Amino acid sequence: MRSYSEIIKSLVLIEFSDEESNRTKLRAQALRLSNSGYSISQISQICLTTQETVSKWIDGWENINLTL
């Protein structure tokens, strides 16, 4: 299992990578915001998307992270 700091570093690398799609970067940013204590409502406003979409991103990440 990867450490918390390794996971955060991975998200930061995704956010600033030239190789990742804008959509992937936006998801990484949303996950970092969630980790920093922002609410789903706040994240959806920042990312200009719905709360449902943000919830799906976070749930998807948690499911993936549990399997690592």
Side-chain angles (χ1 to χ4, degrees), residues 1 31 34-35 40 54-68:
M1 180 181 251
L31 293 166
S34 174
N35 185 63
I40 290 175
V54 173
S55 291
K56 287 179 183 179
W57 292 346
I58 293 168
D59 290 345
W61 174 257
E62 289 172 351
N63 290 335
I64 291 170
N65 197 30
L66 290 175
T67 62
L68 295 179

Side-chain angles (χ1 to χ4, degrees), residues 9-52:
K9 285 179 189 176
S10 295
L11 291 173
V12 170
L13 290 174
I14 289 170
E15 267 186 87
F16 294 100
S17 170
D18 289 334
E19 297 175 16
E20 297 295 338
S21 71
N22 287 337
R23 184 175 176 185
T24 301
K25 291 177 183 183
L26 188 61
R27 287 180 180 181
Q29 180 184 29
L31 293 166
R32 284 198 329 117
L33 290 169
S34 174
N35 185 63
S36 295
Y38 285 78
S39 70
I40 290 175
S41 176
Q42 290 170 316
I43 297 168
S44 69
Q45 290 174 1
I46 292 167
C47 295
L48 303 175
T49 191
T50 66
Q51 291 181 29
E52 181 181 359

